[in-house]
């Protein structure tokens, strides 16, 4: 019999999942907030918030920046010009991911403050989630 490594997640509460926790934080602060999955795959945040992404590249696909630079160029421009209210960054705890996450965080922290960070074990890999909120003047 085959067992998924995620079976244990059946018994966890909603508060064990970073996207659920982040959605609650965002909804309490601003039900109409805009969110970007910055440099990472979709976290499911728009589904949890019941919103539609406001920009074409609301997440990073598994495509090389060399082959498709428009994606990250667009996301970087959104972050640098504070065009969304919140950012989510996910680090998959590998060496390459850690380097990328650090670069994304450095860019984000110019215009956004870290609100919450959480870790989650998924498919045998720890993922670190970071929620950033746009700085106010």
């Amino acid at each position: 019999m085959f067992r998924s490594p995620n079976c244990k997640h059946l018994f966890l509460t909603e508060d064990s999942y970073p996207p659920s926790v982040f959605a609650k934080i965002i909804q309490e602060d601003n039900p109409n907030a805009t969110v970007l999955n910055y440099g990472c795959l979709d976290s499911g945040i728009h589904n949890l918030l019941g919103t539609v992404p406001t920009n074409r590249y609301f997440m990073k696909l598994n495509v090389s920046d060399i082959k498709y630079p428009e994606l990250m160029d667009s996301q970087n421009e959104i972050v640098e010009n504070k065009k969304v209210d919140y950012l989510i960054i996910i680090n998959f705890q590998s060496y390459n991911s850690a380097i990328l996450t650090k670069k994304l965080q450095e860019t984000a922290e110019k215009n956004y403050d870290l609100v919450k960070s959480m870790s989650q074990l998924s498919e045998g890999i720890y993922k670190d989630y970071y929620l950033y909120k746009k700085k106010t003047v």
Side-chain angles (χ1 to χ4, degrees), residues 2-135:
F2 296 102
R3 252 184 74 176
S4 166
N6 293 325
C7 285
K8 61 185 159 281
H9 295 284
L10 292 171
F11 306 103
L12 296 177
T13 64
E14 205 174 281
D15 290 340
S16 301
Y17 298 100
S20 295
V21 173
F22 292 177
K24 286 179 185 176
I25 292 168
I26 293 167
Q27 284 176 326
E28 287 173 7
D29 180 59
N30 178 1
N32 300 311
T34 54
V35 184
L36 174 68
N37 292 287
Y38 186 36
C40 58
L41 290 170
D42 186 14
S43 65
I45 195 71
H46 293 287
N47 189 38
L48 291 165
L49 292 171
T51 60
V52 176
T54 56
N55 52 298
R56 181 176 184 182
Y57 301 112
F58 65 94
M59 67 172 191
K60 170 122 174 41
L61 302 170
N62 285 330
V63 178
S64 165
D65 294 343
I66 294 168
K67 292 192 184 262
Y68 197 46
E70 180 182 340
L71 194 153
M72 281 311 295
D73 289 348
S74 174
Q75 285 204 346
N76 288 329
E77 190 267 333
I78 288 166
V79 173
E80 289 164 4
N81 292 300
K82 298 166 62 170
K83 291 185 176 181
V84 293
D85 300 311
Y86 285 91
L87 305 174
I88 292 177
I89 298 174
I90 304 172
N91 176 17
F92 288 85
Q93 293 196 356
S94 69
Y95 179 73
N96 289 337
S97 182
I99 291 171
L100 173 63
T101 299
K102 184 69 176 160
K103 288 180 184 177
L104 295 173
Q105 288 175 316
E106 287 171 357
T107 302
E109 288 171 358
K110 293 174 187 170
N111 293 317
Y112 292 82
D113 291 318
L114 181 63
V115 174
K116 179 104 175 138
S117 63
M118 294 178 71
S119 292
Q120 176 186 351
L121 180 63
S122 176
E123 297 179 0
I125 300 171
Y126 276 98
K127 298 175 185 175
D128 296 323
Y129 290 73
Y130 303 92
L131 177 65
Y132 287 87
K133 181 180 177 183
K134 181 170 40 177
K135 291 181 180 180

